[in-house]
């Protein structure tokens, strides 16, 4: 009963957090803790389950815990190879491959610790597993809540649709990733426009400045892409100074405040980037919901890891302090074993 009570408390905190502001990472943590304690309560209740049910569940869990990491590591390595073939060898494209190889490495260390019966290696592996367990828990919280956030209904009272830039091909052409955002932006605009009076129609902001290897600002290429496909040019506002996502949001916010002070917006990016963009929008003081556009499935693992790493470092003081405390616990265990 205790685990269920704790799960209920965290579920209430999650609900209150969502009502207060959907764009908080604490919502993801509360949800993760609620699910964790609910799972512990269900496991504790297996003792009262009908004969055979408890044993079956335990066997399934053991199979998942033993074979699941091996399968996951293999899939990550395969995805990493595909990413390199399709997107090149940039460091960001190697994340899923490195994660898979890292998992195999940790499993190798665990096997070595068991076979060698080394106390030192056992403590090192135990400490590493504690740190990885903490990071993995946060990662699952991030992925789970990002999935839910991406499926929340679009706000119908927004005055602006802001499409974030992502770079151009050959210095002037819109790449498929950015085209996906623009197409999604058109859909969102149509949803908002159909319920608005003629004199209060929303505006669409294309946001992106000119990079050193680009022939024109991204926002201009984005606007041209939309106009060529029938979008009304007079409903487009071009934000052409930004170089980063933070600047996309800050400069777009300035344009909105200058034209319609206090207005709300819907921000469009790719689905893997939506939740982090929402966290950034909240930090920048932008009153807006973030929605995502479709992304190729093979792109997801590395992109999601990159997004999580950025969020993890956004709260680096707390996260690194906890990881440091876990390492300290391992060090104290080593000292105690050596005495």
């Amino acid at each position: 009963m205790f685990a269920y009570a704790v799960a209920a408390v965290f579920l209430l905190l999650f609900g209150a957090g969502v009502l207060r502001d959907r764009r908080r990472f604490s919502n993801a943590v509360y949800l993760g803790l609620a699910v964790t304690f609910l799972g512990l309560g269900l496991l504790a209740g297996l003792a009262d389950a009908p004969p055979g049910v408890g044993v079956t569940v335990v066997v399934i869990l053991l199979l998942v815990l033993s074979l699941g990491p091996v399968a996951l590591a293999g899939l990550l390595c395969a995805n990493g190879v595909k990413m390199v073939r399709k997107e090149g060898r940039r460091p960001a494209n190697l994340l899923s491959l490195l994660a898979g190889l890292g998992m195999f490495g940790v499993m190798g260390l665990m096997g070595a610790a068991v076979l060698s019966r080394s106390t030192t290696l056992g403590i090192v592996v135990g400490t590493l597993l504690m740190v990885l367990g903490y990071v993995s828990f946060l990662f699952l919280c991030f992925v789970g809540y990002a999935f839910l956030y991406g499926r929340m209904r679009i706000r119908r009272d927004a005055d602006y649709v802001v499409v974030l830039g992502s770079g151009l091909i050959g210095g002037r052409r819109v790449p498929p990733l950015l085209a996906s955002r623009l197409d999604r932006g058109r859909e969102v605009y149509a949803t908002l426009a159909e319920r608005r009076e003629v004199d209060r129609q929303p505006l669409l902001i294309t946001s992106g400045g000119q990079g050193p290897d680009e022939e024109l600002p991204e926002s201009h290429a984005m606007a041209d892409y939309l106009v060529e496909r029938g979008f009304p040019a007079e409903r487009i506002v071009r934000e052409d100074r930004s170089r980063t996502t933070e600047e996309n949001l800050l400069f777009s916010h300035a344009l909105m405040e200058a034209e319609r002070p206090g207005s709300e917006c819907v921000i469009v990016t790719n689905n893997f980037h939506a939740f982090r963009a929402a966290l950034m929008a909240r930090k920048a003081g932008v009153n807006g919901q973030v929605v995502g556009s479709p992304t190729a499935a093979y792109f997801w693992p590395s992109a999601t890891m990159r997004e999580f790493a950025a969020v993890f470092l956004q709260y680096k003081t707390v996260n690194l302090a906890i990881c440091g405390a876990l390492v300290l616990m391992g060090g104290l265990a080593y000292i105690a074993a050596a005495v």
Side-chain angles (χ1 to χ4, degrees), residues 4-83:
Y4 291 131
V6 176
V9 170
F10 282 120
L11 191 60
L12 288 174
L13 290 173
F14 166 72
V18 170
L19 290 175
R20 183 181 178 186
D21 194 332
R22 301 172 179 178
R23 307 167 301 170
R24 289 175 175 267
F25 189 69
S26 57
N27 296 338
V29 176
Y30 289 145
L31 180 61
L33 289 171
V35 172
T36 298
F37 279 98
L38 177 62
L40 291 174
L42 292 173
L43 286 175
L46 289 177
D48 301 323
V53 174
V55 174
T56 301
V57 172
V58 170
V59 170
I60 292 174
L61 285 176
L62 290 174
L63 287 173
V64 170
L65 291 175
S66 59
L67 299 180
V70 177
L72 178 59
L75 290 172
L76 286 173
C77 288
N79 175 260
V81 172
K82 188 171 185 178
M83 275 291 293

Side-chain angles (χ1 to χ4, degrees), residues 241-303:
R241 295 187 297 149
S242 57
R243 299 292 183 88
T244 65
T245 301
E246 290 88 348
E247 290 184 353
N248 285 146
L249 296 168
L250 288 171
F251 295 158
S252 296
H253 184 228
L255 290 175
M256 290 185 284
E257 287 297 300
E259 181 69 22
R260 300 179 183 179
S263 59
E264 299 180 358
C265 66
V266 176
I267 302 161
V268 182
T269 183
N270 287 92
N271 43 21
F272 64 82
H273 185 233
F275 183 41
R276 185 164 77 92
L279 297 177
M280 296 166 69
R282 177 177 176 272
K283 185 177 180 181
V286 179
N287 186 9
Q289 175 188 359
V290 183
V291 300
S293 64
T295 308
Y298 75 87
F299 201 84
W300 262 80
S302 288

Side-chain angles (χ1 to χ4, degrees), residues 40 45 66 76 78 105 123 133 138 140 157 168 180 215 255 284 288 319 326:
L40 291 174
S66 59
L76 286 173
I123 292 174
L138 290 183
L140 291 175
D157 54 351
L168 302 176
S180 174
E215 299 177 19
L255 290 175
N319 289 326
L326 294 174

